[in-house]
Amino acid sequence: MRVTFWGTRGSLPTPMNTHEFRIKAKRLLMNAVDLDLTDEAVVDTYLENSTIPHAMTFGGNTPCVEITENDEQIIIDCGSGLRVLGHTMMERSFKPGSRINIFQTHTHWDHIMGFPFFAPALTGNADIHIYGIHPNLKDRFDHQMDRIHFPITMDDMGATISFHQIKSEKTITLGNFTITSKALHHPGGSYAYKVESGDKSVVFASDGEYNNLSNVNPYVEFYRNSDVLIFDAMYATLEQTVEKENYGHSTAVIGIDIALQASVKKLILFHHDPECDDSQIAKSCSDARDYLMNRKSEYPDSKLSVVASFDGLVIDV
Ligand SMILES: [Zn+2]
Ligand SMILES: [Zn+2]
């Protein structure tokens, strides 16, 4: 399976501004005084080896993740990253009428705002199937595209769009994928999805608060042995998590504790706080790795590693 991250920011799209860009550009230029910058290969290697976050930026777009296996595809959530994925799909010689499967964790704004800009729906005449556990899924999408909020409606889109309400924890099969959901604690309700193909599994568990840390067993069981766990690590510290109790989000430390218990192989920090700049997200990830090193002696067999997601990250499982 291949997991591609098209949107990794939580709550609100958060583009890098000119001030932040210039800080990065200045540092990169000052560190490159001894390099031959007329040689493209030298520049590529330099950027590849530059320390995070100077030569990159974390998520600007809100949640959208694509999981593929050969020519099969599943999309999870329609955050603003879906706009970029849509254009990429059209460039991949998208055939009119092709089926697209989308799974919605929930319908908070940051998870549906990309749909009105999804090219296969607008111009590709796609056959789109949107799956979710919440009731009235169609009404929720329609509401976002009422003319009060947006110039065109769902009915104006060229695609055929079907909605499917599925039962929580019931496994469904689409091609080579099996997909199972689990309820997360989040205002309005949110669901994690476990996507399996062969002996590989990827769990998408964004927008979830772990408000009873003395009993995380149901989550540990659901996440058990997953190759990749995409986790809501919105808050930088446990203190922030306590301050924002009932906002429905979590932190990397809780993710590491749960991932260690569940024998997860790779923990992906996701749904970055729009209040955090690249340096703060990089620091959170580095702190999380230190925390993992301290805890690993209790789990000598653990293969767990921690990665902070960014728009464009690709992970092969
Ligand atoms: Zn969210
Ligand atoms: Zn949410």
Side-chain angles (χ1 to χ4, degrees):
M1 276 191 285
R2 168 166 284 190
V3 187
T4 306
F5 294 79
W6 296 95
T8 57
R9 182 72 63 167
S11 305
L12 196 70
T14 310
M16 184 171 61
N17 64 30
T18 301
H19 175 70
E20 290 168 318
F21 167 75
R22 287 205 176 149
I23 289 172
K24 288 177 199 284
K26 187 171 153 185
R27 191 172 298 265
L28 285 170
L29 290 167
M30 289 174 75
N31 287 344
V33 284
D34 296 328
L35 299 179
D36 176 8
L37 296 181
T38 60
D39 184 333
E40 200 174 327
V42 169
V43 174
D44 285 341
T45 306
Y46 171 57
L47 291 175
E48 200 60 45
N49 295 330
S50 292
T51 44
I52 287 175
H54 303 308
M56 54 82 70
T57 182
F58 291 101
N61 278 310
T62 64
C64 177
V65 166
E66 178 191 28
I67 300 176
T68 52
E69 168 91 60
N70 300 320
D71 58 351
E72 293 184 32
Q73 177 205 50
I74 283 177
I75 298 168
I76 302 182
D77 279 350
C78 300
S80 64
L82 185 72
R83 183 186 67 86
V84 191
L85 169 58
H87 291 312
T88 305
M89 287 169 69
M90 298 301 278
E91 284 162 15
R92 288 176 191 158
S93 65
F94 183 82
K95 293 187 188 69
S98 295
R99 178 172 175 136
I100 298 172
N101 297 306
I102 299 175
F103 284 76
Q104 278 301 134
T105 59
H106 64 317
T107 50
H108 278 167
W109 190 26
D110 51 327
H111 297 253
I112 59 171
M113 60 169 56
F115 193 77
F117 304 91
F118 186 41
L122 287 166
T123 56
N125 294 316
D127 176 24
I128 298 177
H129 293 258
I130 303 179
Y131 296 81
I133 292 94
H134 292 83
N136 310 322
L137 209 50
K138 180 177 186 312
D139 292 345
R140 293 164 184 240
F141 273 74
D142 273 338
H143 186 57
Q144 170 178 238
M145 294 181 69
D146 183 286
R147 286 198 207 279
I148 295 170
H149 306 299
F150 198 72
I152 64 162
T153 68
M154 292 273 285
D155 291 337
D156 297 330
M157 296 179 114
T160 306
I161 305 168
S162 310
F163 291 86
H164 305 271
Q165 190 179 2
I166 54 177
K167 285 204 171 74
S168 178
E169 303 197 13
K170 192 170 185 289
T171 298
I172 65 167
T173 302
L174 283 175
N176 282 322
F177 294 118
T178 59
I179 304 105
T180 317
S181 61
K182 168 132 198 94
L184 297 173
H185 182 75
H186 192 67
S190 179
Y191 291 84
Y193 287 111
K194 185 193 300 182
V195 180
E196 295 170 280
S197 178
D199 60 351
K200 302 291 183 185
S201 64
V202 173
V203 176
F204 182 95
S206 185
D207 292 60
E209 180 173 350
Y210 298 83
N211 55 337
N212 181 4
L213 290 175
S214 60
N215 182 19
V216 292
N217 288 345
Y219 304 108
V220 169
E221 287 315 312
F222 189 72
Y223 303 157
R224 188 168 293 290
N225 294 326
S226 54
D227 294 281
V228 171
L229 171 59
I230 301 163
F231 194 83
D232 182 337
M234 184 161 178
Y235 300 133
T237 63
L238 271 177
E239 290 73 24
Q240 231 185 336
T241 313
V242 173
E243 261 170 45
K244 299 206 169 166
E245 191 181 0
N246 293 324
Y247 278 50
H249 296 290
S250 186
T251 190
V253 165
I254 293 172
I256 289 169
D257 285 344
I258 292 176
L260 282 169
Q261 291 176 60
S263 302
V264 168
K265 294 186 188 69
K266 199 181 282 279
L267 179 73
I268 311 290
L269 309 182
F270 188 79
H271 205 279
H272 306 303
D273 190 339
E275 299 303 324
C276 289
D277 63 18
D278 287 331
S279 304
Q280 289 166 307
I281 295 168
K283 169 86 168 53
S284 290
C285 185
S286 155
D287 290 349
R289 288 188 176 133
D290 290 346
Y291 179 76
L292 173 61
M293 287 308 293
N294 290 334
R295 297 276 342 252
K296 255 195 172 167
S297 59
E298 298 164 52
Y299 298 87
D301 297 331
S302 172
K303 295 184 175 68
L304 182 63
S305 61
V306 178
V307 173
S309 60
F310 56 89
D311 297 6
L313 173 66
V314 177
I315 291 180
D316 286 317
V317 182

